[in-house]
Amino acid sequence: MAQGSTLFNPSDDAAEARGFSTGILPASHLRGMIQRGRLQSIKDIEEAQIQPASLDLRLGAVAWRIRASFLPGPDATVKSRIDQLALHQIDLTKGAVFEAGCVYVVPLLESVALPYRVSGVANPKSSTGRLDVFTRLITDRAKEFDRIEPGYEGPLYAEVSPRSFSILVREGSRLNQLRLRRGSPPFSDTELLRLQQEQGIVAGEAD
């Protein structure tokens, strides 16, 4: 769905939440959020991006090589920090090489307008890890990598740093994925241990 107005019907979010007070949102809910403009993109979100419980995120058209990794902090945007730290801009529309040992920041095609009870967590796709490419998600005013605060509305960025060898990337490359979660996990470590003892939620022997 192309990025556009963030207008939505709050009753739609409430209806979807019935019976799913807490937990990771499945693909059917992600599709609903795309339809309502909660998940947006500069280019249409493709069906192949939607996994059973996550959304693949795509690199945008430009990247910046930066001096060092950063978090913007509670009073700054990612773009303002890029303006301070960028060494040069790179066009990704025809493909470009990210050099091993260097750090790059790339605006993603996708952006979000999350409801107040929905947060996000990102992680590299398994194929990214196999290539030994370090990547993590950044948002405006972020105090932590790979986390989207409940109610966040704005752009998403990827920090990318090849470790072992240089890589070729282009606009649309999928290096990380996003999971959305409604509510907060209700269980403490003590409660999880009790569930393990009573129900056996994890199989296997301890080391």
Side-chain angles (χ1 to χ4, degrees), residues 170-207:
R170 64 180 67 250
E171 181 184 16
S173 294
R174 304 175 193 175
L175 300 183
N176 52 3
Q177 58 191 1
L178 175 65
R179 289 181 172 83
L180 296 179
R181 180 179 66 195
R182 181 181 292 111
S184 300
F187 299 118
S188 66
D189 289 345
T190 300
E191 290 170 316
L192 288 173
L193 178 59
R194 177 181 58 79
L195 280 173
Q196 171 65 17
Q197 293 170 341
E198 294 178 357
Q199 304 292 334
I201 57 177
V202 178
E205 298 180 358
D207 293 333

Side-chain angles (χ1 to χ4, degrees), residues 65-163:
R65 181 176 171 182
I66 59 173
R67 294 185 177 90
S69 177
F70 69 86
L71 280 170
D75 301 318
T77 65
V78 176
K79 186 58 171 64
S80 68
R81 298 290 285 145
I82 289 173
D83 292 340
Q84 297 170 349
L85 298 172
L87 297 173
H88 58 267
Q89 182 174 314
I90 303 167
D91 182 4
L92 300 185
T93 56
K94 296 181 180 179
V97 173
F98 283 4
E99 297 179 10
C102 298
V103 181
Y104 303 85
V105 171
V106 188
L108 299 177
L109 294 178
E110 288 73 34
S111 59
V112 299
L114 299 184
Y116 77 99
R117 290 192 68 236
V118 174
S119 60
V121 59
N123 62 275
K125 291 178 62 64
S126 58
S127 56
T128 306
R130 288 194 294 271
L131 293 174
D132 199 21
V133 178
F134 185 71
T135 180
R136 32 189 199 181
L137 185 77
I138 317 174
T139 67
D140 289 341
R141 297 172 294 281
K143 297 178 287 184
E144 187 176 2
F145 291 108
D146 288 331
R147 296 289 186 272
I148 305 179
E149 294 295 320
Y152 175 79
E153 181 173 353
L156 304 175
Y157 299 80
E159 177 191 301
V160 182
S161 180
R163 296 300 183 85

Side-chain angles (χ1 to χ4, degrees), residues 17-37:
R18 293 192 192 104
F20 299 93
S21 59
T22 300
I24 300 295
L25 301 186
S28 58
H29 288 213
L30 297 179
R31 292 186 181 94
M33 293 183 74
I34 293 168
Q35 292 173 357
R36 294 194 299 279

